[in-house]
Every structure is written in structure tokens, then in C-alpha cells.
Amino acid sequence: MSKKKRKHSVKPQLTPKQRKFADEYVKTGNATQSAVAAGYNEKSARQIGAENLSKPYINAYISEQLERIESHKVMNANEALQRITMIARGESVAKQWFAFGKELVLKDVPPTTGEILNASKEILKRYPTSELERAQIRQAQAAATESEVKAQLAKQQIRDHQTTDNIVIKALQEMPQEEIVRLARELGNRHAKSSN
């Protein structure tokens, strides 16, 4: 009996740097900072952070870590997003003390424009398939398709040119020498006339 080997899909293992990156990302939500903290080169940290977030097995690890963190003592991701959303919508208010003469008054203060923008950015960071990113992906795919088509056209033009060259060479080889001399003189005369 022959034994058939089964192919198992092997889940890629995170490198120590990737694990450190993912752990930092869980803490900060910032891919560039997380890449630097994990030991990647500062100059390429932004690119590496984005690449790491695009790898499904790193995203899976990040999701697992976030699930482990969720407990009754820690705000879960959903609650955090709800609170950030309230700030982004201007629905959340902070309490602040104001002095009126000798009297202190506690008042509700709505979020500033900067706080609203920062909250919006925090929300968008967690959704890597925003409409803008989908549009950028579609644009990149279209550019890649266009490049492939241009490459195929260039290859076809080369083949056509080679075919034409081969036809001409074959015709010249089969042509009597007197005919070749006559054509050469005729071309020379045409060239002389067009030069004048």
C-alpha cells in the first residue's frame, strides 16, 4: 500500500519582531510607532507597519490579543469605539471647573475640533478597508492591468516585427539577384528624389 502524504496548511509563525510589533499595536493603535518599538528601522517603520497590518496572520494575532484583553475590568473594543464615536460626533462632554469671581462652577464642555478630528482618525485607523483605501486598491489594480496589457501589446509588436522581418528576408533569399539589384536602384532613385 502506498501512503499518501497529506498536505497541511501551515499557519505562519510570527517572528519575534512581528510579535513585538503586534503587541505594541494592541497598546497604541499606531503602526509606525509599533514598528519602531519592535526594533524596525525608523526610516522604513511606516512602510513595515503597513505591510505587517496587511498580513492576515499578524491581524489574527492582534485580534486574539484584543480578545484576551477584553474582560469586565477592561473596556472592550466595542465600548472604546462607541466612546470614540461619541467624541467624533460631538456627543460626549467633559466636566471642567470655571471660576466666576470667587465661585467655582462645574460645567459641561463639548469636545474641541482637534479632539473630534483625533477621535475620527482613531476610528478610521481600525477600519483598513475605508472607501478611500478601496479606491486606492482599485486604482492600483487598474494600473497593474494597464501595465500588463501594454506589456502584452509590446510583445505582440515585437513578434509582428520579427515575422515581417522574416518574411522580407525569405522573399529576398528567393528573389533572383537581378531583381534585387533593380529594387536597390529604384530605392536609391526614390531616396535621391525625396532628399531634393
Side-chain angles (χ1 to χ4, degrees):
M1 285 186 158
S2 66
K3 292 183 180 179
K4 291 185 180 181
K5 290 185 180 179
R6 291 186 188 181
K7 291 185 179 181
H8 296 286
S9 61
V10 178
K11 184 177 177 183
Q13 295 294 317
L14 272 66
T15 66
K17 273 188 177 182
Q18 288 172 333
R19 185 177 302 278
K20 177 73 172 162
F21 164 83
D23 290 339
E24 288 296 321
Y25 187 77
V26 167
K27 293 177 195 173
T28 67
N30 184 306
T32 304
Q33 288 177 359
S34 300
V36 171
Y40 290 102
N41 185 325
E42 284 188 37
K43 292 179 183 177
S44 58
R46 183 175 183 186
Q47 178 185 352
I48 290 171
E51 287 174 7
N52 278 348
L53 289 177
S54 72
K55 295 177 181 173
Y57 61 97
I58 294 178
N59 272 327
Y61 176 80
I62 290 171
S63 294
E64 288 170 12
Q65 295 309 305
L66 289 172
E67 286 174 17
R68 283 188 191 149
I69 290 171
E70 290 182 16
S71 72
H72 68 282
K73 294 180 181 177
V74 179
M75 181 186 305
N76 67 30
N78 191 37
E79 185 181 356
L81 283 174
Q82 287 173 351
R83 288 190 181 187
I84 293 170
T85 300
M86 288 177 64
I87 294 168
R89 291 180 178 160
E91 297 168 351
S92 177
V93 292
K95 301 284 188 187
Q96 188 171 347
W97 288 99
F98 290 94
F100 290 103
K102 293 182 180 184
E103 192 177 333
L104 286 177
V105 179
L106 186 63
K107 292 220 171 218
D108 290 340
V109 179
T112 65
T113 303
E115 291 169 332
I116 290 171
L117 288 174
N118 286 336
S120 299
K121 287 178 188 176
E122 285 297 316
I123 292 169
L124 292 175
K125 269 199 295 192
R126 285 155 174 81
Y127 295 97
T129 55
S130 69
E131 187 56 40
L132 173 63
E133 289 173 322
R134 284 194 292 267
Q136 290 171 335
I137 290 168
R138 284 192 301 269
Q139 184 179 14
Q141 288 171 333
T145 302
E146 181 182 5
S147 295
E148 287 178 30
V149 168
K150 285 180 179 180
Q152 290 298 325
L153 285 173
K155 286 179 184 177
Q156 185 60 45
Q157 287 174 341
I158 290 169
R159 283 193 296 270
D160 291 348
H161 183 70
Q162 289 171 341
T163 301
T164 304
D165 286 351
N166 290 340
I167 291 170
V168 170
I169 289 169
K170 186 176 180 184
L172 285 172
Q173 288 171 343
E174 293 174 356
M175 194 178 285
Q177 187 170 357
E178 303 84 39
E179 185 65 19
I180 294 172
V181 171
R182 186 188 68 70
L183 282 173
R185 285 187 185 141
E186 187 177 321
L187 286 173
N189 290 338
R190 285 185 189 172
H191 181 68
K193 286 180 184 178
S194 65
S195 297
N196 292 335

